[in-house]
Amino acid sequence: MEALWVYVSEQSQSMSTSAWTLLMLGVLLSLSIVVDTISRRTALPRISLLVLVGVAFALIQQGLLGGNAEPLNGLREPLINLALVMVAFLLGGELTLSRLKSTGPLIFALSAAVVIGSLAMVFTGLWLLDYSFAVALSLAAISVATDPAAVSEAIQESGKKSLAARVTLGIVAIDDAWGIIVFGLSMALLSWLGATSGGASLVHALWELGGALLLGTALGFPAAWLTGQLKPGRPTQAEALALMLLIAGLSSYLNVSALLAAMVAGFVIVNVSSHHTRSFSEIEQIEWPFLVFFFVLAGASLNLAYLSTALGLVAAYIVLRSIGRYLGGYLGVLAMRRREPRLNTDIGLALLPQAGVAMGMALLAAERFPQQGQLIVATVVTSTIIFELFGPLLVKRVMADTGKNDTY
């Protein structure tokens, strides 16, 4: 037995980096199956459980082993970027012209009110609490994003088909699009303010946004044409994955916003191609394994050295974002009261869940501003777990408060 233990130890020490990476990929996907089972039996959100798996890795790695190595070595950044590109692409696919016309001024006005409420409340509050401009603006931009999956699942479980349910689903369909745009503008502004050469930085900021629009359009139109020429199945799947890799790679190479480029490409395809559902359905089929890696890596990005420092910021962020969402929804409903008197003023509380896009923004902000990055990541990862645990409960409460005769 002792000889066997010595042999195993020697083999583990001599394990190559590629073998270790492949092993970790298999372990993480296996854990996702366990997490899915636990989620179904306990009603706990899968996303929060996956993030907790990453946090557990960080605790073991940093607390017990005393190191700070990444679980997937050099694959961390490309996997995160690819997962975010997929999410943004699918979000762009939700923005059909017919849907934008049908939602009308009601959903647009309420979503804008909630976005402005979150942005203003979080930024002003953190700024008054003496946090740096970069931290306050980054977290304010991140606060705009919502978790569409958690909100829609909670509404489905509530069984409500009211106006409030329809409006809430309409808001979350475009909420992350607002978040991506606001986050891109915020990062460009911070880059411009932090640069020594204002003119060159302004050009870079404009290119980061404008270049993303150009890249998304340039890739979206050929992809829309190609989608109609390919038969459903493996060719379409290869085309969809190739598009995601091209967006992620070219965005990084050209230094433009990958999230915005992917969203624009999705918007172009869904509104130009008559067979647009093929590409989006193929991405949905292969998206989950990448999201598993993304959420675990997001949790593993938590630096325990910053956790105690971030607790005050976490509490402030949760309170300010909650107040901002509530006030934004309250004022938005009041402004639209004459048009639609059936909406409850607490609809903003149904928009608290926050997950993938928010954590992706935090990781991107950490790469852009490493001095403040760990504090931002610690704040968003911790608050995301709380929002994902309690947010769906508030969604159900808001839906339950809706009148029984409030159908739409």
Side-chain angles (χ1 to χ4, degrees):
M1 182 64 69
E2 183 178 354
L4 177 62
W5 176 254
V6 171
Y7 174 77
V8 171
S9 301
E10 291 176 351
Q11 291 299 312
S12 61
Q13 293 176 2
S14 61
M15 182 180 290
S16 65
T17 302
S18 60
W20 175 255
T21 301
L22 291 173
L23 178 62
M24 287 301 299
L25 290 172
V27 168
L28 292 181
L29 288 178
S30 300
L31 285 174
S32 72
I33 301 173
V34 177
V35 163
D36 191 64
T37 303
I38 296 174
S39 176
R40 288 200 308 270
R41 294 185 178 181
T42 62
L44 292 174
R46 288 187 301 176
I47 292 173
S48 297
L49 293 175
L50 288 171
V51 174
L52 288 175
V53 170
V55 172
F57 177 89
L59 290 172
I60 295 173
Q61 184 69 31
Q62 300 172 36
L64 299 179
L65 302 180
N68 196 23
E70 296 177 0
L72 294 177
N73 300 307
L75 283 179
R76 174 182 177 273
E77 184 176 349
L79 282 175
I80 287 175
N81 289 338
L82 188 57
L84 288 174
V85 163
M86 289 182 176
V87 171
F89 178 75
L90 293 176
L91 286 173
E94 296 290 331
L95 303 179
T96 62
L97 293 177
S98 59
R99 173 173 292 182
L100 292 176
K101 291 179 181 178
S102 65
T103 54
L106 179 61
I107 290 177
F108 181 83
L110 289 177
S111 65
V114 172
V115 166
I116 295 172
S118 304
L119 191 65
M121 183 60 66
V122 173
F123 174 76
T124 304
L126 295 181
W127 179 252
L128 292 177
L129 290 173
D130 205 28
Y131 287 100
S132 69
F133 185 83
V135 169
L137 186 59
S138 297
L139 289 177
I142 292 171
S143 72
V144 171
T146 311
D147 179 12
V151 174
S152 59
E153 185 175 346
I155 291 177
Q156 184 177 3
E157 290 177 358
S158 71
K160 295 290 183 178
K161 297 182 179 179
S162 60
L163 173 64
R166 184 178 178 87
V167 169
T168 302
L169 290 173
I171 292 174
V172 298
I174 61 175
D175 212 29
D176 281 344
W178 279 117
I180 291 172
I181 294 171
V182 171
F183 181 77
L185 291 172
S186 300
M187 291 300 99
L189 176 61
L190 288 174
S191 297
W192 178 44
L193 294 177
T196 54
S197 55
S201 180
L202 179 60
V203 171
H204 174 74
L206 293 174
W207 166 247
E208 185 174 356
L209 299 176
L213 294 174
L214 292 174
L215 178 61
T217 304
L219 292 176
F221 276 104
W225 175 83
L226 187 61
T227 298
Q229 309 303 314
L230 297 177
K231 295 182 179 179
R234 292 180 180 178
T236 306
Q237 190 177 75
E239 175 229 3
L241 185 56
L243 179 61
M244 297 301 97
L245 292 169
L246 285 173
I247 293 174
L250 288 174
S251 297
S252 178
Y253 177 75
L254 298 173
N255 291 317
V256 300
S257 173
L259 294 177
L260 187 57
M263 191 176 72
V264 170
F267 174 80
V268 169
I269 292 174
V270 79
N271 289 291
V272 171
S273 175
S274 57
H275 303 281
H276 61 266
T277 55
R278 294 180 184 175
S279 295
F280 295 101
S281 62
E282 294 298 339
I283 293 299
E284 289 173 348
Q285 291 289 333
I286 62 176
E287 179 192 27
W288 179 243
F290 293 96
L291 289 180
V292 169
F293 301 140
F294 168 75
F295 288 121
V296 173
L297 290 171
S301 300
L302 182 64
N303 193 324
L304 299 180
Y306 288 86
L307 187 58
S308 59
T309 307
L311 289 180
L313 181 57
V314 170
Y317 175 73
I318 291 174
V319 172
L320 291 170
R321 182 175 183 267
S322 301
I323 294 174
R325 306 299 267 185
Y326 174 78
L327 285 180
Y330 181 84
L331 295 176
V333 169
L334 287 184
M336 304 297 291
R337 180 65 79 187
R338 289 186 178 180
R339 178 183 178 89
E340 187 48 70
R342 292 176 292 170
L343 282 177
N344 291 345
T345 53
D346 60 354
I347 193 171
L349 295 178
L351 301 170
L352 282 179
Q354 188 172 44
V357 174
M359 286 192 290
M361 292 175 181
L363 295 174
L364 292 177
E367 293 177 4
R368 184 73 63 86
F369 308 105
Q371 293 181 346
Q372 311 284 352
Q374 293 297 335
L375 185 61
I376 294 173
V377 170
T379 301
V380 174
V381 168
T382 308
S383 62
T384 291
I385 296 173
I386 296 173
F387 281 129
E388 282 295 293
L389 289 175
F390 296 101
L393 300 178
L394 289 172
V395 176
K396 294 179 182 179
R397 178 183 174 184
V398 172
M399 295 302 110
D401 290 341
T402 303
K404 295 181 180 180
N405 296 324
D406 178 18
T407 57
Y408 188 65

